[in-house]
Amino acid sequence: MNQRVQQSKVINKKRVLHCIQQESPISRADIAAKIHLSKPTVSLLVDELLQENKVYEKGIGPSSSQGGRKPIHLYFNERAAYVIGTDISGTKVKTILSDLNGTILHTKSFSTASHLRTGLFEQLSRDVSSMLSAEGIDVTNVLGMGIGVPGITKNGVVIDAPSLDWVRYPIQSEAERHFPFPVYVENDVNVAVLGEQWIGNARNKRHVLFIAVGTGIGSGIIIHDRLYRGGAHASGEMGYMVTDRRDFEGDFQPIFHRYGYLESVAGGKAIGATFTRSVVLDPVHPAYQAAMTGELSGELAFRYASEGDAVAMSIVNDAITQLGYGIINAASVLNPEVIILGGGVLKSADYILPKLERMVNEYLPIPIELKVSELGSNAGVIGAVSLFLREHEGTGHLL
């Protein structure tokens, strides 16, 4: 078989597998009709997938209107293999054991700070071993691992991750020293957008903008069904947008070293810091004593705002306005089908989303869906599984 024919067969086999994964239960004839391949070709490819245990047959479907033998239904075997998904943040390393449909079978996590200097991957290896043992799964049945990291990554190297103090850290090679399977690494928000497109609120969308709002603000971008990384793999750094020129040209100081303007005025840490400064000037404010002993959180500011507190509402609403300008600017350039909001902002989505929707619909010429993340705190780990399945040859998602 020449190389071109072999490549065509591999592509068609992935198409068949993907069709079964998305449409099961489904018959061979229906697969042929849906992906426009001949019935004999589909039958041959299905036979191979059955032998490889990637699909299985079960029961029989209804007979056709012309009568005749009832078709046998095919199902995707989501337990044919397993994938590890890991989300490394500045505070926690969360890892899941997943099947091929993104179902979480087991979860483990540990504090980033307690292991960052003393063996992060050693602890991660112990967590993976513990999960596999608990589920009775042999490591040989693990296809591989996807990892999301809060920083710019390129070719398996973390170029810069301020919250981890990593600069040009060879994370992929370091991970592969500890695991017997392949590992793929990507920026954490890029990973999250992959997860939302796979089994979250961006399913079946080819143009997606995922915005993570927490201490910082970043975004993941999918264009024409492909992750957009940018020329230096630094796309989506929305936190560096300037949404108020006068403020920026004044005495602006970033909330953290190397942080951008938008995340320094609209991120959770910035909201909490601004709220604290205002409350300490108001001895009758109910949060005064707490503000005098330590910095208040952005989450607390949102809680007070939702209860009608004038100080909190002023600060929170200004931050939402700044975030709204950033979203409008990004959407004007990218024209996504849907914008997904994730990160710590999810805790206050009921307060934030209606205000953002009003701004976006007022200023954009074409309506755009604005939704919160369906995967929530699991967007990173499920996205890491999705990353692996997309990148790894021959697994097809499986394509």
Side-chain angles (χ1 to χ4, degrees):
M1 186 182 297
N2 65 45
Q3 187 174 2
R4 181 174 295 179
V5 173
Q6 179 61 31
Q7 287 177 342
S8 177
K9 179 183 176 183
V10 169
I11 291 170
N12 286 334
K13 190 172 176 182
K14 287 183 179 182
R15 291 175 63 204
V16 170
L17 181 58
H18 185 69
C19 183
I20 297 170
Q21 182 185 21
Q22 296 298 310
E23 305 290 342
S24 65
I26 188 170
S27 69
R28 289 167 172 80
D30 287 341
I31 294 170
K34 281 183 176 292
I35 63 176
H36 307 294
L37 288 176
S38 71
K39 291 181 181 179
T41 297
V42 168
S43 289
L44 286 171
L45 295 175
V46 165
D47 287 344
E48 289 188 17
L49 291 170
L50 286 166
Q51 292 173 7
E52 294 166 3
N53 198 35
K54 291 178 180 175
V55 302
Y56 62 92
E57 295 174 318
K58 180 181 177 183
I60 55 176
S63 60
S64 66
S65 58
Q66 292 79 27
R69 192 175 64 178
K70 295 180 180 179
I72 297 173
H73 276 156
L74 294 160
Y75 292 77
F76 176 70
N77 183 10
E78 69 273 11
R79 300 295 174 90
Y82 303 88
V83 179
I84 305 296
T86 296
D87 182 23
I88 300 176
S89 75
T91 57
K92 183 172 70 173
V93 177
K94 182 176 180 178
T95 302
I96 62 168
L97 172 64
S98 167
D99 68 17
L100 297 179
N101 272 342
T103 301
I104 297 174
L105 306 178
H106 208 104
T107 304
K108 298 281 283 187
S109 64
F110 60 86
S111 164
T112 306
S114 61
H115 293 89
L116 188 59
R117 309 294 178 198
T118 58
L120 186 147
F121 283 100
E122 284 81 358
Q123 180 58 42
L124 184 55
S125 178
R126 286 191 287 270
D127 277 3
V128 170
S129 295
S130 173
M131 290 191 298
L132 293 176
S133 177
E135 297 298 324
I137 296 169
D138 191 271
V139 70
T140 58
N141 289 324
V142 176
L143 285 178
M145 169 187 278
I147 301 177
V149 185
I152 299 169
T153 66
K154 184 177 182 180
N155 299 327
V157 175
V158 178
I159 306 301
D160 186 24
S163 64
L164 301 175
D165 199 25
W166 284 352
V167 177
R168 301 208 63 81
Y169 180 67
I171 183 172
Q172 185 169 343
S173 60
E174 181 65 19
E176 288 181 340
R177 286 200 311 111
H178 292 83
F179 299 104
F181 39 70
V183 178
Y184 293 95
V185 183
E186 184 55 76
N187 168 268
D188 58 349
V189 190
N190 285 349
V191 160
V193 73
L194 293 178
E196 284 292 330
Q197 190 202 36
W198 183 27
I199 56 173
N201 261 337
R203 278 185 298 264
N204 303 317
K205 305 293 187 182
R206 292 173 54 82
H207 303 270
V208 184
L209 175 62
F210 180 99
I211 303 173
V213 184
T215 300
I217 298 175
S219 67
I221 303 164
I222 291 175
I223 299 175
H224 291 301
D225 208 30
R226 297 178 66 86
L227 186 64
Y228 179 73
R229 295 180 172 92
H233 284 232
S235 68
E237 293 290 342
M238 274 188 63
Y240 288 89
M241 281 188 174
V242 177
T243 51
D244 187 328
R245 178 178 64 83
R246 288 169 298 181
D247 186 21
F248 184 72
E249 291 176 348
D251 58 355
F252 165 72
Q253 293 293 325
I255 192 76
F256 290 119
H257 177 56
R258 292 188 290 180
Y259 270 54
Y261 176 82
L262 183 58
E263 56 201 355
S264 294
V265 297
K269 175 75 172 177
I271 293 169
T274 305
F275 185 47
T276 303
R277 288 195 298 270
S278 296
V279 169
V280 296
L281 299 176
D282 183 4
V284 300
H285 195 282
Y288 177 77
Q289 291 299 327
M292 293 299 293
T293 59
E295 188 169 281
L296 305 176
S297 67
E299 185 179 353
L300 185 65
F302 275 104
R303 196 184 85 195
Y304 272 100
S306 65
E307 294 171 355
D309 179 77
V311 175
M313 287 178 67
S314 174
I315 292 164
V316 165
N317 290 345
D318 182 63
I320 292 172
T321 299
Q322 299 278 15
L323 178 62
Y325 291 150
I327 292 173
I328 290 163
N329 292 340
S332 297
V333 173
L334 298 171
N335 185 220
E337 295 169 85
V338 63
I339 298 172
I340 307 291
L341 293 178
V345 71
L346 290 174
K347 297 176 182 177
S348 308
D350 290 344
Y351 188 90
I352 296 172
L353 200 61
K355 300 178 187 303
L356 288 177
E357 285 176 332
R358 282 196 295 271
M359 285 189 69
V360 169
N361 289 330
E362 180 180 354
Y363 287 103
L364 287 178
I366 299 173
I368 292 176
E369 283 189 276
L370 192 61
K371 298 181 177 181
V372 296
S373 166
E374 182 176 337
L375 303 180
S377 61
N378 287 323
V381 286
I382 290 176
V385 172
S386 177
L387 168 73
F388 176 84
L389 291 174
R390 282 174 175 255
E391 297 290 334
H392 189 54
E393 285 186 356
T395 57
H397 137 199
L398 281 169
L399 292 172

